[in-house]
Amino acid sequence: MNLERVMQVDRRIIYLFVAIGTILPIIFVIGLPVSITPPVQMAFDRIENELQTGDIVLMSFDYGPSSAPENAPMADAMLRHCFSKGIKVVVIALYPLGGLSEAVNELNKVTAEFPELKYGVDYVNLGYKDGAQAAMKKMAENIHEVFPTDVNGTPLDRLPIMKNIRTYRDMKLVVSLATGIIGEWWANLVNAQFGIPVIVGPTAVSAPKYYAYLEAKQMAGLLGGLKGASEYERLVVNRYPKLGEVYATPGLYTATKGMDVQSIVHLIMIAFIVLGNVVYFTTKRKPRKAS
Amino acid sequence: MPSLGTWLAAFFTLCMLSFLYKDNPFFRLAESFFAGLSLGYYIGIVMNQTLKPNLVLPLIQDFHANWNLVFAAGLGVILYFRYVKRVAWVSRWALAVYVGYYVGVNMMQKLHGEVIPQIGNTMLSLRYSGVDTLSNLVMVVGVLAVLIYFYFSAEHKGVVGGVSRIGIWFLMISFGAAFGYTVMGRVSLLIGRMVFLVNEWARPLIGSIT
């Protein structure tokens, strides 16, 4: 076999392998095991052990459809966890390109699984607000001024859940499902200046920088990308086995199923990297012919 | 049978993925649609979710209580003066207010929320306490070495050169971790699209044919 030809393999061949490695595990779910890492365990423990029934969590949808495959499973798992534990959720969206539609979609999907929940009593969607930093700062003074109405145009005073919520002090936790920089602002503005614990679920691309905030105890937990979402799903299912039926629904996209695909694709990439390196070093060792 | 919306989404997804083969008119068509739709969506959401509830309705419903919003609206309007050459300079006043506000917010945020806590978290004890000591040592050596790598007022030779080379190693390791996460993120997005194509488009389509 001519090793030089392996070095010049068409990139489209690699894409083809990746495509096959992506599609097959979607059709034939493998169910690989999920190991739990400390940042995700911290996030889960904060909600499970330190929040009581009736406590309020502010959940900010700071992502759009472009990163939904990573962020949406996080949102689903955290909403399911909160509702299973009887925690009330106030939803907002600060990401302009689709944050609101993602919030509406995920809320509709998850609340349909909990028919006992009442809108305006157990959860509420306050909608989208432009100018994320300014909105975050103003919410420390008065949430009702930032969001005068909910997403349906109902004044907040008419919603029972919002009657006793004026500022961050009236909530126990902020969860930001974030793409880009908005999650950072929750940590370095809201947590640093107003002291409310913050959990961020960033996309994998942004995850490394969030570890600095986690190490400095500016965040109460971290769900890094699809892997973080799959770990949270596993923790939620272990604690609330009834949710296992939901996660086993055929055709439902979950982070755990996504991680099967992720693992296969990573193996394909590693195989190509190893092959490339072996061929490179083998051809490098060959004595050069005199020209 | 998949709905029209699903067909459109599948078509544009395949158009986007066709770029992997090579640049082509289908990809450029989808790209243009995406840019146009995003802008249209953004304009719509700002109009309905920001301007209407926060400016238009408060001014109509109770002008006396909300008259100060006129200033914010005025600043927003004069930003567009830049398109009229004779009065373009006026837009700078609004810009100055926005930049000033942003610098004020950001300065406090960066100092209070990033610089001070991150510096504090770097000042770690090197007193012997088992594994933690090693971890703290790596952190302190890494931070100092990277800072010296970015110190350009002294030539990077001798001790400074040696330490800055250690800094390069620390940087490479952190870039490697970031790259790994980036690959994971990109693959996750591919999975999202493929899940859509398989579960929402191909499966119902095959089901309706068979």
Side-chain angles (χ1 to χ4, degrees):
Chain A
M1 187 179 167
N2 188 352
L3 292 177
E4 298 287 343
R5 283 184 65 190
V6 177
M7 289 294 287
Q8 286 153 11
V9 64
D10 192 326
R11 63 195 162 86
R12 285 170 289 204
I13 303 283
I14 301 171
Y15 294 155
L16 188 66
F17 272 91
V18 170
I20 294 166
T22 310
I23 292 168
L24 287 181
I26 292 171
I27 299 168
F28 309 105
V29 178
I30 307 167
L32 294 171
V34 176
S35 57
I36 311 297
T37 54
V40 180
Q41 185 74 53
M42 280 168 67
F44 180 82
D45 290 346
R46 171 66 68 158
I47 293 178
E48 185 59 33
N49 302 333
E50 294 184 36
L51 267 57
Q52 311 294 324
T53 301
D55 282 346
I56 310 279
V57 166
L58 178 71
M59 196 172 284
S60 185
F61 281 70
D62 304 330
Y63 70 93
S66 56
S67 64
E70 287 188 283
N71 293 117
M74 295 174 193
D76 293 344
M78 296 197 101
L79 281 171
R80 286 180 183 124
H81 187 194
C82 289
F83 292 147
S84 297
K85 205 176 151 54
I87 292 165
K88 296 173 190 281
V89 182
V90 175
V91 166
I92 61 170
L94 300 179
Y95 186 73
L97 288 174
L100 179 61
S101 57
E102 288 300 319
V104 170
N105 287 346
E106 300 314 314
L107 260 184
N108 286 347
K109 183 165 74 180
V110 177
T111 53
E113 298 160 11
F114 297 84
E116 71 280 8
L117 297 178
K118 281 188 185 150
Y119 181 80
V121 177
D122 300 300
Y123 67 97
V124 70
N125 184 358
L126 301 187
Y128 164 76
K129 183 59 57 180
D130 205 16
Q133 269 173 311
M136 286 175 189
K137 220 166 160 55
K138 187 71 184 166
M139 278 196 284
E141 295 166 23
N142 194 339
I143 292 171
H144 290 239
E145 283 182 17
V146 183
F147 294 94
T149 65
D150 75 347
V151 73
N152 305 316
T154 311
L156 296 201
D157 292 329
R158 278 197 228 151
L159 298 161
I161 188 175
M162 293 307 294
K163 281 203 173 130
N164 296 320
I165 302 175
R166 289 278 153 188
T167 68
Y168 293 126
R169 279 196 296 275
D170 304 316
M171 291 180 270
K172 297 283 181 188
L173 180 73
V174 168
V175 175
S176 166
L177 294 323
T179 185
I181 200 170
I182 300 178
E184 244 180 275
W185 292 337
W186 282 110
N188 68 18
L189 194 158
V190 177
N191 174 267
Q193 292 189 16
F194 311 114
I196 184 166
V198 169
I199 292 172
V200 181
T203 54
V205 175
S206 317
K209 67 182 170 189
Y210 284 97
Y211 279 92
Y213 295 112
L214 189 74
E215 286 290 320
K217 298 182 177 54
Q218 290 179 272
M219 278 166 39
L222 169 66
L223 282 68
L226 197 66
K227 173 78 169 78
S230 70
E231 291 174 37
Y232 206 92
E233 277 177 4
R234 175 61 48 210
L235 286 167
V236 168
V237 171
N238 288 348
R239 176 66 187 82
Y240 300 94
K242 215 179 162 191
L243 288 175
E245 293 165 23
V246 174
Y247 279 104
T249 310
L252 180 82
Y253 172 66
T254 68
T256 312
K257 289 176 191 168
M259 279 311 291
D260 280 354
V261 187
Q262 186 84 247
S263 305
I264 300 295
V265 174
H266 282 188
L267 281 175
I268 292 169
M269 286 179 185
I270 290 167
F272 272 107
I273 291 168
V274 170
L275 178 70
N277 277 279
V278 167
V279 172
Y280 174 75
F281 285 111
T282 311
T283 51
K284 208 178 154 191
R285 263 195 221 140
K286 275 185 186 170
R288 285 183 188 172
K289 285 176 188 169
S291 54
Chain B
M1 193 72 170
S3 65
L4 178 65
T6 307
W7 269 102
L8 280 173
F11 171 72
F12 284 121
T13 301
L14 291 171
C15 286
M16 284 293 188
L17 290 173
S18 70
F19 185 76
L20 293 174
Y21 184 71
K22 67 176 186 180
D23 195 6
N24 63 75
F26 288 106
F27 168 74
R28 273 176 267 145
L29 173 83
E31 193 186 31
S32 305
F33 260 95
F34 182 74
L37 280 171
S38 303
L39 186 64
Y41 181 88
Y42 186 68
I43 291 170
I45 206 160
V46 170
M47 292 289 283
N48 292 321
Q49 293 285 327
T50 303
L51 287 178
K52 199 174 151 192
N54 296 331
L55 179 72
V56 179
L57 289 180
L59 284 177
I60 292 171
Q61 286 163 354
D62 192 352
F63 183 81
H64 289 289
N66 299 302
W67 62 270
N68 55 348
L69 292 177
V70 172
F71 288 107
L75 283 172
V77 169
I78 65 171
L79 269 177
Y80 292 93
F81 280 29
R82 63 176 301 192
Y83 296 111
V84 185
K85 222 173 188 180
R86 263 185 331 123
V87 287
W89 60 272
V90 181
S91 68
R92 290 188 200 149
W93 286 96
L95 211 55
V97 173
Y98 291 133
V99 170
Y101 174 80
Y102 190 77
V103 168
V105 169
N106 231 16
M107 202 189 315
M108 277 309 292
Q109 195 175 320
K110 287 283 172 195
L111 269 175
H112 192 73
E114 256 182 52
V115 177
I116 295 170
Q118 293 301 325
I119 288 177
N121 198 47
T122 314
M123 294 177 183
L124 300 166
S125 168
L126 295 180
R127 250 177 48 191
Y128 182 74
S129 60
V131 182
D132 282 350
T133 310
L134 183 67
S135 166
N136 292 359
L137 189 69
V138 169
M139 178 70 86
V140 171
V141 169
V143 169
L144 291 177
V146 170
L147 283 176
I148 286 174
Y149 171 73
F150 284 109
Y151 183 72
F152 301 119
S153 298
E155 208 175 331
H156 284 198
K157 60 183 185 184
V159 177
V160 176
V163 177
S164 74
R165 283 195 71 80
I166 297 171
I168 291 173
W169 276 98
F170 274 92
L171 284 172
M172 288 300 160
I173 291 165
S174 67
F175 290 154
F179 180 70
Y181 264 113
T182 304
V183 171
M184 189 167 92
R186 298 301 177 230
V187 173
S188 301
L189 302 186
L190 174 69
I191 293 167
R193 283 295 79 201
M194 287 300 189
V195 165
F196 164 76
L197 285 177
V198 172
N199 287 349
E200 292 180 42
W201 178 65
R203 271 187 171 147
L205 183 64
I206 293 165
S208 64
I209 293 167
T210 53

